[in-house]
Coordinates of all heavy atoms in Angstrom, one line a residue:
M248 N 102.9 41.2 -30.0 CA 104.0 41.7 -29.3 C 103.7 41.7 -27.8 O 102.6 41.9 -27.4 CB 104.2 43.2 -29.7 CG 105.6 43.7 -29.2 SD 106.0 45.3 -30.0 CE 104.9 46.4 -29.2
T249 N 104.7 41.3 -27.0 CA 104.5 41.2 -25.6 C 104.7 42.5 -24.9 O 105.6 43.2 -25.2 CB 105.5 40.1 -25.0 OG1 105.4 39.0 -25.8 CG2 105.3 39.8 -23.6
P250 N 103.8 42.8 -23.9 CA 104.0 44.0 -23.1 C 105.3 44.0 -22.4 O 105.8 43.0 -22.0 CB 102.8 43.9 -22.1 CG 101.9 42.9 -22.6 CD 102.6 42.0 -23.5
H251 N 105.8 45.2 -22.2 CA 107.0 45.4 -21.4 C 106.7 45.3 -19.9 O 107.5 44.8 -19.1 CB 107.7 46.7 -21.7 CG 108.0 46.8 -23.2 ND1 108.8 45.9 -23.8 CD2 107.6 47.6 -24.1 CE1 108.9 46.2 -25.1 NE2 108.1 47.3 -25.3
Y252 N 105.6 45.9 -19.5 CA 105.1 46.0 -18.1 C 103.7 45.6 -18.0 O 102.9 46.1 -18.8 CB 105.4 47.4 -17.5 CG 106.8 47.8 -17.5 CD1 107.3 48.6 -18.5 CD2 107.6 47.3 -16.5 CE1 108.7 48.9 -18.5 CE2 109.0 47.6 -16.5 CZ 109.5 48.4 -17.5 OH 110.8 48.7 -17.4
S253 N 103.4 44.7 -17.1 CA 102.0 44.2 -17.0 C 101.6 44.3 -15.5 O 102.4 44.3 -14.6 CB 101.9 42.8 -17.4 OG 102.4 42.6 -18.8
I254 N 100.3 44.4 -15.3 CA 99.8 44.5 -13.9 C 99.3 43.2 -13.4 O 99.2 43.0 -12.2 CB 98.7 45.6 -13.8 CG1 97.4 45.2 -14.6 CG2 99.3 46.9 -14.2 CD1 96.2 46.1 -14.2
D255 N 98.9 42.3 -14.3 CA 98.3 41.0 -13.9 C 98.0 40.2 -15.1 O 98.2 40.6 -16.2 CB 96.9 41.3 -13.2 CG 96.5 40.3 -12.1 OD1 97.1 39.1 -12.2 OD2 95.7 40.6 -11.3
Y256 N 97.5 39.0 -14.8 CA 96.9 38.2 -15.9 C 95.5 38.6 -16.1 O 94.8 39.1 -15.2 CB 97.0 36.7 -15.6 CG 98.4 36.1 -15.7 CD1 99.1 35.9 -14.5 CD2 99.0 35.8 -16.9 CE1 100.4 35.4 -14.6 CE2 100.3 35.4 -16.9 CZ 101.0 35.2 -15.8 OH 102.3 34.7 -15.8
C257 N 95.0 38.4 -17.3 CA 93.7 38.9 -17.7 C 92.6 38.0 -17.0 O 92.5 36.8 -17.2 CB 93.5 38.8 -19.2 SG 91.9 39.3 -19.8
P258 N 91.7 38.7 -16.3 CA 90.6 38.0 -15.7 C 89.5 37.5 -16.6 O 88.7 36.7 -16.3 CB 90.0 39.0 -14.7 CG 90.3 40.3 -15.3 CD 91.6 40.1 -16.0
R259 N 89.5 38.1 -17.9 CA 88.5 37.7 -18.9 C 88.9 36.4 -19.6 O 88.1 35.5 -19.7 CB 88.3 38.8 -19.9 CG 88.0 40.2 -19.3 CD 86.7 40.1 -18.5 NE 85.6 39.6 -19.3 CZ 84.4 39.3 -18.8 NH1 84.2 39.4 -17.5 NH2 83.5 38.8 -19.6
C260 N 90.1 36.4 -20.2 CA 90.4 35.2 -21.0 C 91.3 34.3 -20.2 O 91.5 33.1 -20.6 CB 91.1 35.7 -22.3 SG 92.7 36.4 -22.1
G261 N 92.0 34.8 -19.1 CA 92.8 33.9 -18.3 C 94.1 33.6 -18.9 O 94.9 32.9 -18.2
A262 N 94.4 34.0 -20.1 CA 95.6 33.6 -20.8 C 96.5 34.8 -21.1 O 97.8 34.7 -21.1 CB 95.3 32.9 -22.1
G263 N 95.9 36.0 -21.3 CA 96.7 37.1 -21.7 C 97.3 37.9 -20.5 O 96.9 37.7 -19.4
L264 N 98.3 38.7 -20.9 CA 98.9 39.6 -19.9 C 98.2 41.0 -20.0 O 98.0 41.4 -21.2 CB 100.4 39.8 -20.1 CG 101.3 38.6 -19.6 CD1 102.7 38.9 -20.2 CD2 101.3 38.6 -18.1
L265 N 97.9 41.6 -18.9 CA 97.4 42.9 -19.0 C 98.5 43.9 -19.0 O 99.1 44.3 -18.0 CB 96.5 43.2 -17.7 CG 95.3 42.3 -17.6 CD1 94.5 42.6 -16.4 CD2 94.4 42.3 -18.9
G266 N 98.9 44.3 -20.2 CA 100.0 45.2 -20.4 C 99.6 46.6 -20.3 O 98.5 47.0 -20.7
I267 N 100.6 47.4 -19.9 CA 100.3 48.9 -19.8 C 100.8 49.5 -21.1 O 101.9 49.3 -21.5 CB 101.0 49.5 -18.6 CG1 100.5 48.9 -17.3 CG2 100.9 51.0 -18.6 CD1 101.2 49.4 -16.1
R268 N 99.9 50.2 -21.7 CA 100.2 51.0 -22.9 C 100.1 52.5 -22.7 O 99.3 52.9 -21.8 CB 99.3 50.7 -24.1 CG 99.4 49.2 -24.6 CD 98.5 49.0 -25.9 NE 99.0 49.7 -27.0 CZ 100.0 49.4 -27.8 NH1 100.7 48.3 -27.6 NH2 100.3 50.1 -28.9
I269 N 100.9 53.3 -23.4 CA 100.7 54.7 -23.4 C 100.2 55.1 -24.7 O 100.6 54.5 -25.8 CB 102.0 55.5 -23.0 CG1 101.7 56.9 -22.7 CG2 103.1 55.2 -24.0 CD1 102.8 57.7 -22.0
C270 N 99.2 56.0 -24.8 CA 98.6 56.4 -26.0 C 98.6 57.9 -26.0 O 98.8 58.6 -25.0 CB 97.2 55.9 -26.1 SG 96.3 56.3 -27.7
G271 N 98.5 58.5 -27.2 CA 98.5 60.0 -27.3 C 99.9 60.5 -27.3 O 100.1 61.7 -27.0
L272 N 100.9 59.7 -27.7 CA 102.2 60.2 -27.8 C 102.3 61.3 -28.8 O 101.7 61.2 -29.9 CB 103.1 59.0 -28.3 CG 103.3 57.9 -27.3 CD1 104.0 56.7 -28.0 CD2 104.1 58.3 -26.1
G273 N 103.0 62.3 -28.5 CA 103.1 63.5 -29.4 C 102.0 64.5 -29.2 O 102.0 65.5 -29.9
T274 N 101.1 64.2 -28.3 CA 100.0 65.2 -28.1 C 100.2 65.8 -26.7 O 101.1 65.4 -25.9 CB 98.6 64.5 -28.1 OG1 98.5 63.7 -26.9 CG2 98.5 63.6 -29.3
D275 N 99.3 66.7 -26.3 CA 99.4 67.3 -25.0 C 98.9 66.4 -23.9 O 99.0 66.7 -22.7 CB 98.7 68.6 -25.0 CG 99.3 69.7 -25.8 OD1 100.5 69.5 -26.1 OD2 98.6 70.6 -26.3
E276 N 98.2 65.4 -24.3 CA 97.5 64.5 -23.3 C 97.8 63.1 -23.5 O 96.9 62.3 -23.8 CB 96.0 64.8 -23.4 CG 95.5 66.2 -23.1 CD 94.0 66.4 -23.2 OE1 93.3 65.4 -22.9 OE2 93.6 67.5 -23.6
P277 N 99.0 62.7 -23.2 CA 99.3 61.2 -23.2 C 98.5 60.6 -22.1 O 98.3 61.2 -21.0 CB 100.8 61.1 -23.0 CG 101.2 62.5 -22.4 CD 100.2 63.5 -22.9
H278 N 98.0 59.4 -22.4 CA 97.2 58.7 -21.4 C 97.5 57.2 -21.4 O 98.0 56.7 -22.4 CB 95.7 58.9 -21.7 CG 95.3 58.8 -23.1 ND1 95.5 59.9 -24.0 CD2 94.9 57.8 -23.9 CE1 95.1 59.5 -25.2 NE2 94.8 58.3 -25.2
G279 N 97.2 56.6 -20.3 CA 97.5 55.2 -20.1 C 96.3 54.3 -20.4 O 95.2 54.7 -20.2
L280 N 96.6 53.1 -20.8 CA 95.6 52.1 -21.0 C 96.1 50.8 -20.5 O 97.4 50.5 -20.5 CB 95.3 51.9 -22.5 CG 94.7 53.1 -23.3 CD1 94.7 52.7 -24.8 CD2 93.3 53.4 -22.8
V281 N 95.3 49.9 -20.0 CA 95.7 48.5 -19.7 C 95.0 47.6 -20.7 O 93.7 47.7 -20.9 CB 95.2 48.2 -18.3 CG1 95.5 46.7 -18.0 CG2 96.0 49.1 -17.3
V282 N 95.8 46.9 -21.5 CA 95.3 46.1 -22.6 C 95.7 44.7 -22.5 O 96.9 44.4 -22.3 CB 95.7 46.7 -24.0 CG1 95.1 45.9 -25.1 CG2 95.4 48.2 -24.1
C283 N 94.8 43.7 -22.6 CA 95.1 42.3 -22.6 C 95.8 42.0 -24.0 O 95.2 42.3 -25.0 CB 93.9 41.5 -22.4 SG 94.2 39.7 -22.7
D284 N 96.9 41.4 -23.9 CA 97.6 41.1 -25.2 C 97.0 39.9 -25.9 O 97.5 39.6 -27.0 CB 99.1 40.9 -25.0 CG 99.5 39.7 -24.3 OD1 98.7 39.0 -23.6 OD2 100.7 39.3 -24.3
E285 N 96.0 39.2 -25.3 CA 95.4 38.1 -26.0 C 94.0 38.5 -26.5 O 93.7 38.4 -27.7 CB 95.2 37.0 -25.1 CG 96.5 36.2 -24.8 CD 97.0 35.4 -25.9 OE1 96.1 35.0 -26.8 OE2 98.2 35.1 -26.1
C286 N 93.1 39.0 -25.6 CA 91.7 39.3 -26.0 C 91.4 40.7 -26.3 O 90.3 41.1 -26.6 CB 90.8 38.7 -25.0 SG 90.7 39.5 -23.4
E287 N 92.4 41.6 -26.0 CA 92.2 43.0 -26.3 C 91.2 43.7 -25.4 O 90.7 44.8 -25.7 CB 92.0 43.4 -27.8 CG 93.1 43.0 -28.7 CD 93.0 43.5 -30.1 OE1 91.8 43.9 -30.5 OE2 93.9 43.4 -30.8
S288 N 90.9 43.1 -24.3 CA 90.1 43.8 -23.3 C 90.9 45.1 -22.9 O 92.1 45.0 -22.7 CB 89.8 43.0 -22.1 OG 89.0 41.9 -22.4
I289 N 90.1 46.2 -22.6 CA 90.8 47.4 -22.3 C 90.2 48.0 -21.0 O 89.0 48.0 -20.8 CB 90.6 48.5 -23.4 CG1 91.1 48.0 -24.7 CG2 91.2 49.8 -22.9 CD1 90.8 49.0 -25.8
W290 N 91.2 48.3 -20.1 CA 90.8 49.1 -18.9 C 91.4 50.4 -19.0 O 92.5 50.6 -19.5 CB 91.3 48.4 -17.6 CG 90.6 47.1 -17.2 CD1 89.7 47.0 -16.2 CD2 90.7 45.8 -17.8 NE1 89.2 45.7 -16.1 CE2 89.8 45.0 -17.1 CE3 91.5 45.3 -18.8 CZ2 89.7 43.6 -17.3 CZ3 91.4 43.9 -19.1 CH2 90.5 43.1 -18.4
L291 N 90.7 51.4 -18.4 CA 91.2 52.8 -18.5 C 92.0 53.1 -17.2 O 92.7 54.2 -17.1 CB 90.1 53.8 -18.6 CG 89.3 53.7 -19.9 CD1 88.1 54.7 -19.9 CD2 90.2 53.9 -21.1
E292 N 92.0 52.2 -16.2 CA 92.7 52.4 -15.0 C 93.5 51.1 -14.8 O 93.1 50.1 -15.2 CB 91.8 52.7 -13.8 CG 90.9 53.9 -13.9 CD 91.7 55.2 -13.8 OE1 92.8 55.1 -13.2 OE2 91.2 56.2 -14.4
P293 N 94.6 51.2 -14.1 CA 95.4 50.0 -13.8 C 94.8 49.2 -12.6 O 95.4 48.9 -11.6 CB 96.8 50.5 -13.5 CG 96.6 51.9 -12.9 CD 95.3 52.4 -13.6
D294 N 93.5 48.9 -12.8 CA 92.7 48.2 -11.7 C 91.6 47.4 -12.4 O 90.7 48.0 -13.0 CB 92.2 49.3 -10.8 CG 91.3 48.7 -9.7 OD1 91.0 47.5 -9.7 OD2 90.9 49.5 -8.8
V295 N 91.7 46.1 -12.3 CA 90.8 45.3 -13.0 C 89.4 45.2 -12.4 O 88.5 44.6 -12.9 CB 91.3 43.8 -13.2 CG1 92.6 43.9 -14.1 CG2 91.6 43.1 -11.9
T296 N 89.2 45.8 -11.2 CA 87.9 45.9 -10.7 C 87.1 47.0 -11.3 O 85.9 47.1 -11.1 CB 87.9 46.1 -9.1 OG1 88.5 47.4 -8.8 CG2 88.8 45.0 -8.5
T297 N 87.7 47.9 -12.1 CA 87.0 48.9 -12.8 C 86.4 48.3 -14.1 O 86.8 47.3 -14.5 CB 87.9 50.1 -13.1 OG1 89.0 49.7 -13.9 CG2 88.5 50.7 -11.8
P298 N 85.4 49.0 -14.7 CA 84.8 48.5 -15.9 C 85.8 48.4 -17.0 O 86.7 49.2 -17.2 CB 83.7 49.5 -16.2 CG 83.5 50.2 -15.0 CD 84.8 50.2 -14.2
H299 N 85.6 47.3 -17.8 CA 86.5 47.1 -19.0 C 85.6 47.1 -20.2 O 84.4 47.1 -20.2 CB 87.3 45.9 -18.9 CG 86.5 44.6 -19.1 ND1 85.8 44.1 -18.1 CD2 86.2 43.9 -20.2 CE1 85.1 43.0 -18.5 NE2 85.4 42.9 -19.8
Q300 N 86.3 47.2 -21.4 CA 85.5 47.2 -22.6 C 86.3 46.5 -23.7 O 87.5 46.3 -23.6 CB 85.2 48.6 -23.1 CG 86.4 49.6 -23.0 CD 86.0 51.0 -23.1 OE1 85.5 51.4 -24.2 NE2 86.2 51.8 -22.1
Y301 N 85.6 46.0 -24.7 CA 86.2 45.4 -25.8 C 86.1 46.3 -27.0 O 85.1 46.9 -27.3 CB 85.4 44.1 -26.2 CG 85.6 42.9 -25.3 CD1 84.6 42.5 -24.6 CD2 86.9 42.3 -25.3 CE1 84.7 41.4 -23.7 CE2 87.0 41.2 -24.4 CZ 86.0 40.8 -23.7 OH 86.1 39.7 -22.9
P302 N 87.3 46.6 -27.7 CA 87.2 47.4 -28.9 C 86.7 46.5 -30.0 O 86.5 45.3 -29.9 CB 88.7 47.7 -29.1 CG 89.4 46.6 -28.5 CD 88.6 46.1 -27.4
D303 N 86.3 47.2 -31.1 CA 85.9 46.5 -32.3 C 87.1 45.7 -32.8 O 88.2 46.2 -33.1 CB 85.5 47.5 -33.4 CG 85.1 46.9 -34.7 OD1 85.5 45.8 -35.0 OD2 84.3 47.6 -35.4
A304 N 87.0 44.4 -32.9 CA 88.1 43.5 -33.2 C 88.8 43.8 -34.5 O 90.0 43.6 -34.7 CB 87.7 42.0 -33.2
S305 N 88.0 44.3 -35.5 CA 88.6 44.6 -36.8 C 89.1 46.0 -36.9 O 89.8 46.3 -37.9 CB 87.5 44.3 -37.9 OG 86.4 45.2 -37.7
D306 N 88.8 46.8 -36.0 CA 89.3 48.2 -36.0 C 89.4 48.7 -34.6 O 88.6 49.6 -34.2 CB 88.3 49.0 -36.9 CG 88.8 50.5 -37.0 OD1 90.0 50.7 -37.0 OD2 87.9 51.4 -37.2
A307 N 90.3 48.2 -33.8 CA 90.4 48.5 -32.4 C 90.9 50.0 -32.3 O 91.8 50.4 -32.9 CB 91.4 47.6 -31.8
R308 N 90.2 50.7 -31.4 CA 90.5 52.1 -31.2 C 90.6 52.4 -29.7 O 90.0 51.7 -28.9 CB 89.3 52.9 -31.7 CG 89.0 52.7 -33.2 CD 89.2 54.0 -34.0 NE 89.3 53.7 -35.4 CZ 90.0 54.5 -36.2 NH1 90.6 55.6 -35.8 NH2 90.2 54.1 -37.5
C309 N 91.4 53.4 -29.4 CA 91.6 53.8 -28.0 C 90.3 54.4 -27.5 O 89.7 55.3 -28.2 CB 92.7 54.8 -27.9 SG 92.8 55.6 -26.4
P310 N 89.8 53.9 -26.3 CA 88.5 54.5 -25.8 C 88.6 56.0 -25.5 O 87.6 56.6 -25.4 CB 88.2 53.6 -24.6 CG 89.2 52.5 -24.6 CD 90.3 52.9 -25.5
K311 N 89.8 56.4 -25.2 CA 89.9 57.8 -24.8 C 90.0 58.8 -26.0 O 89.4 59.8 -26.0 CB 91.2 58.0 -23.9 CG 90.9 57.5 -22.5 CD 91.8 58.3 -21.5 CE 91.4 57.9 -20.1 NZ 92.2 58.5 -19.1
C312 N 90.9 58.5 -27.0 CA 91.1 59.5 -28.0 C 90.6 59.0 -29.4 O 90.7 59.7 -30.4 CB 92.6 59.8 -28.1 SG 93.6 58.5 -28.6
S313 N 90.1 57.7 -29.5 CA 89.6 57.2 -30.7 C 90.6 57.0 -31.8 O 90.3 56.7 -32.9 CB 88.4 58.0 -31.2 OG 87.4 58.0 -30.3
D314 N 91.9 57.1 -31.5 CA 92.9 56.8 -32.4 C 93.1 55.3 -32.4 O 92.7 54.6 -31.5 CB 94.3 57.5 -32.1 CG 94.3 58.9 -32.6 OD1 93.4 59.3 -33.4 OD2 95.1 59.7 -32.1
P315 N 93.7 54.7 -33.5 CA 93.9 53.2 -33.5 C 94.7 52.7 -32.3 O 95.7 53.3 -31.9 CB 94.7 53.0 -34.8 CG 94.3 54.2 -35.7 CD 94.2 55.4 -34.7
L316 N 94.1 51.7 -31.7 CA 94.7 51.1 -30.5 C 96.2 50.7 -30.7 O 97.0 50.9 -29.8 CB 93.9 49.9 -30.1 CG 94.3 49.2 -28.7 CD1 94.2 50.2 -27.6 CD2 93.5 48.0 -28.5
W317 N 96.5 50.2 -31.9 CA 97.9 49.8 -32.2 C 98.6 50.8 -33.1 O 99.5 50.4 -33.8 CB 97.8 48.4 -32.8 CG 97.0 47.4 -32.0 CD1 95.8 47.0 -32.3 CD2 97.4 46.8 -30.7 NE1 95.4 46.1 -31.3 CE2 96.3 46.0 -30.3 CE3 98.5 46.9 -29.9 CZ2 96.3 45.3 -29.1 CZ3 98.5 46.2 -28.7 CH2 97.4 45.4 -28.3
G318 N 98.1 52.0 -33.2 CA 98.7 53.0 -34.1 C 100.0 53.6 -33.6 O 100.5 53.2 -32.5
P319 N 100.6 54.4 -34.4 CA 101.9 55.0 -34.1 C 102.0 55.9 -32.9 O 103.0 56.2 -32.3 CB 102.4 55.7 -35.3 CG 101.1 56.0 -36.0 CD 100.1 54.9 -35.7
Q320 N 100.8 56.4 -32.4 CA 100.7 57.3 -31.3 C 100.6 56.5 -30.0 O 100.5 57.1 -28.9 CB 99.5 58.2 -31.4 CG 98.2 57.7 -30.9 CD 97.7 56.5 -31.7 OE1 98.1 56.2 -32.8 NE2 96.8 55.7 -31.0
S321 N 100.8 55.2 -30.1 CA 100.6 54.3 -28.9 C 101.7 53.3 -28.9 O 102.2 52.8 -29.9 CB 99.2 53.6 -29.1 OG 99.0 52.7 -28.1
R322 N 102.1 52.9 -27.7 CA 103.1 51.8 -27.6 C 103.0 51.2 -26.2 O 102.4 51.8 -25.3 CB 104.5 52.4 -27.8 CG 104.9 53.3 -26.6 CD 106.3 53.9 -26.8 NE 106.6 54.9 -25.8 CZ 107.4 56.0 -26.0 NH1 107.8 56.2 -27.2 NH2 107.6 56.8 -25.0
W323 N 103.5 50.0 -26.1 CA 103.7 49.4 -24.7 C 104.5 50.3 -23.9 O 105.6 50.8 -24.4 CB 104.3 48.0 -24.8 CG 103.4 47.0 -25.5 CD1 103.8 46.3 -26.6 CD2 102.1 46.5 -25.1 NE1 102.7 45.4 -26.9 CE2 101.7 45.5 -26.0 CE3 101.3 46.8 -24.0 CZ2 100.5 44.8 -25.9 CZ3 100.1 46.1 -23.9 CH2 99.7 45.1 -24.8
A324 N 104.1 50.7 -22.7 CA 104.8 51.7 -21.9 C 106.2 51.3 -21.5 O 106.5 50.1 -21.2 CB 104.0 52.0 -20.7
T325 N 107.1 52.2 -21.6 CA 108.4 52.1 -21.1 C 108.5 52.5 -19.6 O 107.5 53.0 -19.1 CB 109.4 53.0 -21.9 OG1 109.1 54.3 -21.6 CG2 109.4 52.7 -23.4
S326 N 109.6 52.3 -19.0 CA 109.7 52.7 -17.6 C 109.4 54.2 -17.4 O 108.8 54.6 -16.5 CB 111.0 52.3 -16.9 OG 112.1 52.8 -17.7
A327 N 109.9 55.0 -18.3 CA 109.7 56.4 -18.3 C 108.2 56.8 -18.5 O 107.7 57.7 -17.8 CB 110.6 57.1 -19.3
D328 N 107.6 56.0 -19.4 CA 106.2 56.2 -19.6 C 105.4 56.0 -18.3 O 104.4 56.7 -18.0 CB 105.6 55.3 -20.7 CG 106.2 55.6 -22.1 OD1 106.7 56.8 -22.3 OD2 106.2 54.7 -22.9
L329 N 105.8 54.9 -17.6 CA 105.1 54.5 -16.4 C 105.1 55.7 -15.4 O 104.2 56.0 -14.7 CB 105.7 53.3 -15.8 CG 105.5 52.0 -16.5 CD1 106.3 50.9 -15.8 CD2 104.1 51.6 -16.7
V330 N 106.3 56.3 -15.3 CA 106.5 57.4 -14.3 C 105.6 58.6 -14.8 O 105.0 59.2 -13.9 CB 108.0 57.8 -14.2 CG1 108.1 59.1 -13.4 CG2 108.8 56.6 -13.6
Q331 N 105.6 58.8 -16.1 CA 104.8 59.9 -16.6 C 103.3 59.7 -16.2 O 102.5 60.6 -15.9 CB 104.9 60.1 -18.1 CG 104.2 61.2 -18.6 CD 104.4 61.4 -20.1 OE1 105.0 60.6 -20.8 NE2 104.0 62.6 -20.7
L332 N 102.9 58.4 -16.3 CA 101.5 58.1 -16.1 C 101.2 58.0 -14.6 O 100.0 58.0 -14.1 CB 101.1 56.7 -16.7 CG 101.1 56.7 -18.2 CD1 101.0 55.2 -18.7 CD2 100.0 57.5 -18.8
G333 N 102.2 57.9 -13.8 CA 102.1 57.6 -12.3 C 101.6 56.2 -12.0 O 101.1 56.0 -10.9
W334 N 101.9 55.3 -12.9 CA 101.4 53.9 -12.8 C 102.6 53.0 -12.4 O 102.4 51.8 -12.4 CB 100.8 53.4 -14.0 CG 99.4 54.0 -14.3 CD1 98.8 55.1 -13.6 CD2 98.5 53.7 -15.4 NE1 97.6 55.4 -14.2 CE2 97.4 54.5 -15.3 CE3 98.6 52.7 -16.4 CZ2 96.3 54.4 -16.2 CZ3 97.5 52.6 -17.3 CH2 96.4 53.5 -17.2
Q335 N 103.7 53.5 -12.1 CA 104.9 52.6 -11.9 C 104.7 51.7 -10.7 O 105.3 50.6 -10.7 CB 106.2 53.5 -11.7 CG 106.3 54.3 -10.5 CD 105.7 55.7 -10.7 OE1 104.7 55.9 -11.4 NE2 106.3 56.7 -10.0
D336 N 103.9 52.1 -9.8 CA 103.7 51.2 -8.6 C 102.7 50.1 -8.9 O 102.5 49.2 -8.1 CB 103.2 52.0 -7.4 CG 104.2 53.0 -6.9 OD1 105.4 52.8 -7.2 OD2 103.8 54.0 -6.3
R337 N 102.0 50.1 -10.1 CA 101.0 49.1 -10.4 C 101.6 47.9 -11.1 O 100.9 46.9 -11.3 CB 99.9 49.7 -11.3 CG 99.3 50.9 -10.7 CD 98.7 50.6 -9.3 NE 97.9 51.7 -8.8 CZ 96.6 51.8 -8.9 NH1 95.9 50.7 -9.3 NH2 95.9 52.8 -8.4
V338 N 102.8 48.0 -11.5 CA 103.4 46.9 -12.3 C 103.7 45.7 -11.4 O 104.2 45.9 -10.2 CB 104.7 47.4 -12.9 CG1 105.5 46.3 -13.5 CG2 104.4 48.5 -14.0
D339 N 103.5 44.5 -11.9 CA 103.9 43.3 -11.2 C 105.3 42.9 -11.8 O 105.3 42.5 -12.9 CB 102.9 42.2 -11.4 CG 103.3 40.9 -10.6 OD1 104.5 40.8 -10.3 OD2 102.4 40.1 -10.4
P340 N 106.4 43.1 -11.0 CA 107.7 42.9 -11.6 C 107.9 41.5 -12.1 O 108.7 41.3 -13.0 CB 108.7 43.2 -10.5 CG 107.9 44.0 -9.5 CD 106.4 43.5 -9.6
Q341 N 107.1 40.5 -11.6 CA 107.3 39.2 -12.1 C 106.8 39.0 -13.5 O 107.1 37.9 -14.1 CB 106.6 38.2 -11.1 CG 107.1 38.3 -9.7 CD 106.8 37.0 -8.9 OE1 105.9 36.3 -9.3 NE2 107.5 36.9 -7.8
L342 N 106.0 39.9 -14.0 CA 105.5 39.8 -15.3 C 106.2 40.7 -16.4 O 105.7 40.8 -17.5 CB 104.0 40.2 -15.3 CG 103.1 39.4 -14.3 CD1 101.7 40.0 -14.3 CD2 103.1 38.0 -14.6
N343 N 107.3 41.3 -15.9 CA 108.0 42.2 -16.9 C 108.5 41.4 -18.1 O 109.0 40.3 -18.0 CB 109.2 42.8 -16.2 CG 108.8 43.9 -15.2 OD1 107.6 44.2 -15.1 ND2 109.7 44.5 -14.6
G344 N 108.4 42.1 -19.2 CA 108.9 41.6 -20.5 C 110.3 42.0 -20.7 O 111.1 42.0 -19.8
E345 N 110.6 42.3 -21.9 CA 112.0 42.7 -22.3 C 112.4 44.0 -21.6 O 111.6 44.9 -21.4 CB 112.1 43.0 -23.8 CG 111.8 41.7 -24.6 CD 112.9 40.7 -24.5 OE1 114.1 41.1 -24.7 OE2 112.6 39.6 -24.1
P346 N 113.7 44.1 -21.2 CA 114.2 45.4 -20.7 C 114.0 46.5 -21.7 O 113.9 46.3 -22.9 CB 115.6 45.1 -20.4 CG 115.8 43.6 -20.4 CD 114.7 43.1 -21.3
D347 N 114.0 47.7 -21.1 CA 113.8 48.9 -22.0 C 114.7 49.0 -23.2 O 114.4 49.4 -24.2 CB 114.0 50.2 -21.2 CG 112.7 50.5 -20.4 OD1 111.7 49.8 -20.6 OD2 112.8 51.4 -19.6
D348 N 116.0 48.5 -23.0 CA 117.0 48.8 -24.0 C 116.7 47.8 -25.2 O 117.4 47.9 -26.2 CB 118.4 48.7 -23.5 CG 118.7 47.3 -22.9 OD1 117.8 46.5 -22.8 OD2 119.9 47.2 -22.4
H349 N 115.8 46.9 -25.1 CA 115.4 46.1 -26.3 C 114.2 46.6 -27.0 O 113.8 46.0 -28.0 CB 115.1 44.7 -25.8 CG 116.4 44.0 -25.3 ND1 116.4 42.7 -24.7 CD2 117.7 44.3 -25.4 CE1 117.6 42.4 -24.5 NE2 118.4 43.3 -24.9
I350 N 113.6 47.7 -26.5 CA 112.4 48.2 -27.2 C 112.8 48.8 -28.6 O 113.8 49.6 -28.7 CB 111.8 49.4 -26.4 CG1 111.2 48.8 -25.1 CG2 110.7 50.1 -27.2 CD1 110.7 49.8 -24.2
A351 N 112.1 48.3 -29.6 CA 112.4 48.8 -31.0 C 111.9 50.2 -31.2 O 110.9 50.5 -30.6 CB 111.8 47.8 -32.0
Ligands
ZN38 ZN1 92.3 38.7 -22.1
ZN39 ZN1 94.3 57.2 -26.9

């Protein structure tokens, strides 16, 4: 699945988009992640100069809450999610995917 909002191309694999995900939906502590849609590198901040990590490829988990990276508590961020995270200024508009009204 393609991210709705991305900050850049992945500096690790050079092919993926660094999509913004929100995780912890339905909890008191929703949090943002930056995830490459190709190699699954994860950044905890919308800044690729910060350290990144690779999840276990067979059982990818969120580094913050340890729930499944692709689980139901997580999704590619919507525009409202970006505002909640305070990351709306980090998006590169040229990399935007589908508009919000196409989110399933
Ligand atoms: Zn990548
Ligand atoms: Zn999480």
Side-chain angles (χ1 to χ4, degrees):
M248 194 166 74
T249 305
H251 304 299
Y252 296 99
S253 303
I254 65 167
D255 206 344
Y256 288 101
C257 178
R259 302 301 305 172
C260 67
L264 281 170
L265 298 182
I267 297 176
R268 292 185 69 79
I269 189 168
C270 181
L272 294 168
T274 74
D275 292 339
E276 297 183 32
H278 41 275
L280 299 171
V281 174
V282 182
C283 173
D284 71 344
E285 287 286 335
C286 70
E287 296 189 346
S288 296
I289 300 174
W290 286 258
L291 297 178
E292 301 288 336
D294 178 352
V295 295
T296 65
T297 60
H299 71 278
Q300 46 194 296
Y301 286 113
D303 182 335
S305 62
D306 184 25
R308 303 237 161 210
C309 170
K311 281 207 172 176
C312 67
S313 298
D314 279 345
L316 185 62
W317 309 104
Q320 85 297 338
S321 173
R322 67 181 175 215
W323 294 116
T325 65
S326 57
D328 296 335
L329 294 178
V330 172
Q331 183 176 11
L332 295 168
W334 289 6
Q335 66 271 33
D336 295 337
R337 302 306 188 101
V338 170
D339 183 339
Q341 298 201 343
L342 303 177
N343 284 358
E345 295 293 306
D347 277 354
D348 58 359
H349 289 172
I350 292 175

